[in-house]
Amino acid sequence: MPTIYLSPSLQEFNPYSGGGNEEYYMNLVADAMEPYLRASGIDFSRNDPDMTLSQAIADSNKGDYDLHLAIHSNASPPATAGQNTGAAIYYYPTSTNGQRFANIIKENYQNVYPNKVQTIPTTSLAEVRRTKSPSALVEVAYHDNPTDAMWIRDNINNIARSLSQSVAEYLGVPFVEP
């Protein structure tokens, strides 16, 4: 049975426009993914909100996962706070499988998110640099932008479905609705 490590954001200190925080909403996305993954025959583990990032990476690396998916939302730098929109999927530049996974996420996510979606290679994000499984880190939208933050709140299930569909596609298993 294929397996994935889900790593929703551990950043409760990142406030959302309109209330709430990144850790809370990204855990809702991971919660909503679980029925889709189960229905599609994909086993999963996930981080604990009380973990540090290093602990979550170590926990992922202890297992034999086919994928590591970090689920985040973005915030703009202070000079442009609340002004940016878009989704970004990060992968490690020398990881062919990570890049393939990121591209699959992008293709599916463009069907649910109304703004620009891009893939970006990076060596600076620990969850794509230090995990042993092929990995991607998705920034689902900008949580400091009021419109994007509301879109996230209103589309938890659509985000989860799109990410789950991408996982199934990458793993080569049929995507099944719960």
Side-chain angles (χ1 to χ4, degrees), residues 11 17 52-53 59 81 89 97 99 121 124 139 143 159 167 169:
Q11 300 173 13
S17 175
T52 66
L53 181 57
D59 193 45
I89 301 102
N97 287 327
Q99 182 177 12
S124 65
E139 299 275 9
H143 61 252
I159 296 166
V167 169
E169 186 176 332

Side-chain angles (χ1 to χ4, degrees), residues 23-150:
E23 180 183 76
Y24 174 76
Y25 285 106
M26 296 305 97
N27 271 282
L28 290 180
V29 170
D31 292 346
M33 286 180 72
E34 290 185 9
Y36 290 108
L37 296 174
R38 279 190 196 101
S40 299
I42 301 166
D43 197 15
F44 59 88
S45 296
R46 59 189 278 188
N47 66 12
D48 182 299
D50 293 328
M51 289 178 166
T52 66
L53 181 57
S54 291
Q55 290 170 327
I57 291 168
D59 193 45
S60 175
N61 287 341
K62 281 190 313 191
D64 188 25
Y65 298 102
D66 297 299
L67 285 173
H68 178 101
L69 177 59
I71 309 163
H72 289 251
S73 55
N74 217 339
S76 303
T80 58
Q83 298 174 36
N84 292 316
T85 63
I89 301 102
Y90 294 91
Y91 64 93
Y92 197 75
T94 60
S95 174
T96 303
N97 287 327
Q99 182 177 12
R100 184 170 76 83
F101 183 38
N103 287 333
I104 291 169
I105 294 170
K106 176 186 176 186
E107 291 304 313
N108 289 319
Y109 204 67
Q110 290 176 138
N111 296 323
V112 296
Y113 181 65
N115 298 313
K116 182 179 180 178
V117 180
Q118 60 185 329
T119 58
I120 303 170
T122 184
T123 59
S124 65
L125 296 173
E127 282 193 275
V128 299
R129 184 182 77 242
R130 293 179 34 212
T131 52
K132 71 176 186 180
S133 302
S135 60
L137 184 148
V138 60
E139 299 275 9
V140 300
Y142 277 84
H143 61 252
D144 64 334
N145 176 299
T147 304
D148 261 10
M150 182 59 69

